[in-house]
Amino acid sequence: MLDFYGTTLCNGLMLGTAQYPSPAVLADAFKRSAASVATVSLRRESGQERAGQDFWQLIRDLGVHILPNTAGCHSVKEAVTTAHMAREVFDTKWIKLEVIGEEDTLQPDVFGLVEAARILSEDGFQVFPYTTEDLVVADRLLQAGCEVLMPWGAPIGSGLGLNNVFGLRSMRAHFPDVPLVIDAGLGLPSQAAAAMELGFDAVLLNTAVAKAGDPARMAEAFATAIQAGQLANAADPMEPRDMAAPSTPVIGKAFLE
Amino acid sequence: MKIQLNGASIEAQVTTLADLLEAEGFGRAKVATAVNSTFVPAAARADHALKDGDSIEVLAPMQGG
């Protein structure tokens, strides 16, 4: 089963809540995909408009697990402070820890990430670190207290899929017992299926669904692909080979020349 | 006193962070607060005195990926 810090999830789809055409479309996407986790954020609130309050009610009504993020944070201090604020508002120990290190790729600052992960883990947070497929960094994150790793598939919002299949496969092989989530970069359900076929436990995505022409239908497509990939991985796929091998038996073939 | 509230400069006639939230219409809204980049838990707002030049962030749930 999918166990994240002692919480069992019913499926491997973690879905973002940003960029949907409307709140109704967002809710429909969650309904049709049965996503188990919703990622959320914190932003400045206006005392007059109080837009965040309506959004919070919408998310609560979805009945899914809440995973707050530290999106947009570029320093350890900023990320740690945001995490504390998120823990109070969302009443959860879970935090999707992002410490951004590069603007063009939104690549994580892995040095700051490890430091922030250590601080937060020691403070009782259950950290979901947005990281790269670097095995040394992954090991440091585990030492820092993380029990989940979330390597990127490709840069956030790019839709490029799994940019480094070799690296991701290595990560799965090196950490067979650690829940692994592909976070960011997916554009198509086939890419999510590929991630699950590699043995990943879940995928986290947002833009691919929210920016699709029909977000709810795309969400369902991702959910189906994740299920297919998971099933395929459990079924122990065949080893690829370079040479052809006839699948139809040769023995008993008629001699017709 | 003059303070910064979510990046905007305002004049506030309040003593504590809790007073400020009440005066600015947040009431019982689900928000988290920070003063001068330091998190101030909800339970500490009533005792957190504000001073001229303080920078206050009031954050609420928002869409995220």
Side-chain angles (χ1 to χ4, degrees):
Chain A
M1 276 314 285
L2 299 170
D3 187 308
F4 295 88
Y5 290 103
T7 297
T8 301
L9 302 182
C10 57
N11 63 51
L13 177 57
M14 301 180 175
L15 196 53
T17 56
Q19 306 183 88
Y20 291 83
S22 71
V25 173
L26 184 162
D28 201 22
F30 273 84
K31 198 178 301 174
R32 281 186 63 171
S33 66
S36 54
V37 172
T39 56
V40 294
S41 195
L42 285 175
R43 287 294 180 268
R44 285 172 168 171
E45 178 79 318
S46 158
Q48 284 71 47
E49 298 170 9
R50 298 168 61 130
Q53 310 308 304
D54 291 340
F55 172 71
W56 176 232
Q57 187 58 49
L58 172 74
I59 295 303
R60 289 181 66 181
D61 290 347
L62 295 176
V64 298
H65 295 280
I66 305 297
L67 178 57
N69 69 27
T70 62
C73 292
H74 288 73
S75 71
V76 172
K77 180 177 179 3
E78 194 181 11
V80 168
T81 301
T82 301
H84 278 101
M85 297 174 86
R87 181 165 65 177
E88 182 175 86
V89 165
F90 296 110
D91 194 23
T92 176
K93 294 177 182 175
W94 283 13
I95 190 73
K96 179 190 169 191
L97 182 59
E98 296 183 30
V99 183
I100 299 300
E102 209 282 324
E103 272 307 313
D104 289 331
T105 60
L106 296 180
Q107 182 169 342
D109 166 4
V110 294
F111 306 99
L113 180 69
V114 170
E115 188 182 343
R118 182 185 52 74
I119 293 168
L120 292 172
S121 296
E122 287 176 355
D123 200 15
F125 282 87
Q126 295 174 335
V127 179
F128 292 64
Y130 163 64
T131 185
T132 67
E133 62 276 41
D134 188 301
L135 298 178
V136 180
V137 172
D139 203 43
R140 296 287 192 278
L141 287 168
L142 297 176
Q143 289 173 20
C146 296
E147 296 179 16
V148 174
L149 297 171
M150 302 212 299
W152 63 349
I156 294 170
S158 68
L160 291 172
L162 306 180
N163 268 359
N164 183 358
V165 171
F166 167 79
L168 294 171
R169 187 183 288 122
S170 297
M171 199 171 196
R172 180 70 286 176
H174 273 76
F175 306 106
D177 301 321
V178 177
L180 297 180
V181 183
I182 293 291
D183 177 11
L186 299 186
L188 288 168
S190 55
Q191 297 159 352
M196 302 305 283
E197 287 167 4
L198 286 174
F200 279 75
D201 298 282
V203 299
L204 196 165
L205 55 108
N206 190 157
T207 310
V209 166
K211 289 297 188 184
D214 185 338
R217 187 177 289 183
M218 187 59 84
E220 185 179 351
F222 267 100
T224 306
I226 287 164
Q227 195 177 16
Q230 201 169 30
L231 201 58
N233 178 262
D236 191 14
M238 65 169 280
E239 288 296 323
R241 49 189 292 167
D242 292 330
M243 301 298 288
S247 51
T248 303
V250 177
I251 297 172
K253 181 182 176 297
F255 183 76
L256 299 173
E257 287 186 15
Chain B
M1 63 182 164
K2 183 175 277 189
I3 59 171
Q4 293 277 322
L5 176 60
N6 284 345
S9 189
I10 65 166
E11 274 290 329
Q13 305 303 320
V14 297
T15 308
T16 67
L17 179 57
D19 294 341
L20 176 72
L21 293 181
E22 195 62 41
E24 291 298 318
F26 290 102
R28 299 176 63 85
K30 200 164 187 61
V31 293
T33 50
V35 177
N36 301 327
S37 300
T38 299
F39 170 55
V40 179
R45 288 174 194 155
D47 294 327
H48 191 102
L50 296 178
K51 61 182 187 307
D52 193 56
D54 275 349
S55 177
I56 295 103
E57 294 287 337
V58 181
L59 307 186
M62 199 56 65
Q63 294 86 346

